[in-house]
Amino acid sequence: MQSVKKRTYSRITREATELLGKLIRLGRKERKMTESELAGRAGISRATLQKIERGDLTCEIGLFLEVAVLVGVKLFDADSSQVVLMHIGRINDKLALLPQRVRPSVKVDDNF
Amino acid sequence: MQSVKKRTYSRITREATELLGKLIRLGRKERKMTESELAGRAGISRATLQKIERGDLTCEIGLFLEVAVLVGVKLFDADSSQVVLMHIGRINDKLALLPQRVRPSVKVDDNF
DNA sequence: ACATTGTGGCTAGTATAACGGTCATTAAAT
DNA sequence: ATTTAATGACCGTTATACTAGCCACAATGT
């Protein structure tokens, strides 16, 4: 009974993960795969797959996305996934333009 | 030197995570926050934030998305995130329509 | 030029995720 | 109705993610 992990997540984070889990479960059933089958293909245990489909926030993002890919879930969005992925080049450019280090001279504006 | 974890990830998974990490780093710098600041706000260590921005696949999805939300990264896509999130209701419906258990009578079609 | 400090990388310790196995329940097929 | 097996849940073990702290380097501001 020592040091119970006390982590808080925003509503957006919780809903997004829950959604992704449901999309995975939906994709799996549409393809008529059992939990064991999908877990086997993904190289994970059935217990972990159950956590993922349940939307457990503590699962590794790699496992989460890997399972999603296996059941045909389009990452990031329905039909613009490729567009988003292609943006990775432009993001590199934008990163290169920014100063390599951040030095907050004043104060960071808390816009929440 | 026993049992080195040997995990493989699809290219899509790797690129998606890498992209998300870069988006986070971009968002952080655009808001002129230091790694320590963002890590502090997210309630994680700086080392973990560095792993996230690097696109490390072994990070918890909850931490990954939480940091993304903090720096204003729109989850799933640029401007249709809310649409996707609203679809959660319809997904529940679709799940309810499917049989509650999958019994593969024939063989699962390997469409890869 | 100098001082400041953000960043990358490393370590050991600790919390915990993932695994493999088991069991009860119950939907699905006969 | 009976049989089969997919699912949900639990547990002990093992692997590892996260943490706190440190150092070296170098970009930024003066």
Side-chain angles (χ1 to χ4, degrees):
Chain A
M1 191 178 292
Q2 47 192 7
S3 78
V4 178
K5 188 173 186 179
K6 200 68 176 179
R7 172 140 271 306
T8 60
Y9 300 93
S10 68
R11 196 175 60 83
I12 294 286
T13 295
R14 283 184 275 111
E15 287 185 353
T17 311
E18 181 188 355
L19 167 66
L20 191 51
K22 284 179 187 281
L23 284 173
I24 290 171
R25 170 161 297 182
L26 182 63
R28 174 177 65 82
K29 292 200 171 187
E30 283 178 344
R31 298 189 173 213
K32 298 202 192 313
M33 298 173 68
T34 68
E35 294 178 354
S36 297
E37 283 177 1
L38 180 53
R41 293 193 183 206
I44 64 178
S45 67
R46 193 169 67 94
T48 301
L49 175 62
Q50 287 178 330
K51 285 179 60 181
I52 289 175
E53 289 191 351
R54 203 181 301 132
D56 191 307
L57 292 160
T58 67
C59 296
E60 292 182 9
I61 190 172
L63 302 184
F64 229 105
L65 299 189
E66 193 69 11
V67 173
V69 169
L70 279 176
V71 296
V73 172
K74 297 295 204 312
L75 298 184
F76 296 98
D77 198 349
D79 42 16
S80 60
S81 61
Q82 291 171 334
V83 179
V84 175
L85 285 178
M86 281 168 51
H87 278 337
I88 195 170
R90 304 197 180 280
I91 289 177
N92 281 329
D93 297 341
K94 295 183 74 172
L95 270 174
L97 289 180
L98 288 176
Q100 304 176 20
R101 291 188 185 184
V102 172
R103 303 262 278 205
S105 50
V106 205
K107 238 182 86 75
V108 173
D109 53 336
D110 276 276
N111 43 355
F112 279 89
Chain B
M1 193 180 292
Q2 46 191 11
S3 77
V4 178
K5 186 172 187 179
K6 201 66 177 178
R7 171 140 270 305
T8 60
Y9 299 94
S10 70
R11 196 174 60 83
I12 294 286
T13 296
R14 283 184 275 110
E15 288 184 352
T17 311
E18 181 188 356
L19 168 66
L20 191 51
K22 284 179 188 282
L23 284 172
I24 289 171
R25 170 161 298 183
L26 182 63
R28 175 177 64 81
K29 292 200 172 188
E30 283 178 345
R31 300 191 171 210
K32 299 201 189 314
M33 297 173 68
T34 67
E35 294 178 354
S36 297
E37 283 177 0
L38 180 53
R41 293 193 184 207
I44 63 178
S45 68
R46 194 169 69 93
T48 301
L49 175 62
Q50 287 178 331
K51 285 179 61 182
I52 290 175
E53 290 191 351
R54 204 181 301 135
D56 191 305
L57 292 159
T58 67
C59 295
E60 292 182 9
I61 191 172
L63 304 184
F64 227 106
L65 299 190
E66 193 68 13
V67 172
V69 169
L70 279 177
V71 297
V73 173
K74 296 296 204 314
L75 297 183
F76 295 99
D77 198 350
D79 42 16
S80 61
S81 60
Q82 290 171 333
V83 179
V84 174
L85 286 177
M86 280 169 51
H87 278 335
I88 196 169
R90 303 197 181 278
I91 289 178
N92 281 327
D93 296 342
K94 295 183 75 172
L95 270 173
L97 289 179
L98 288 175
Q100 303 176 21
R101 290 187 184 186
V102 171
R103 304 262 278 203
S105 50
V106 208
K107 233 181 89 71
V108 173
D109 53 336
D110 276 276
N111 42 357
F112 280 91

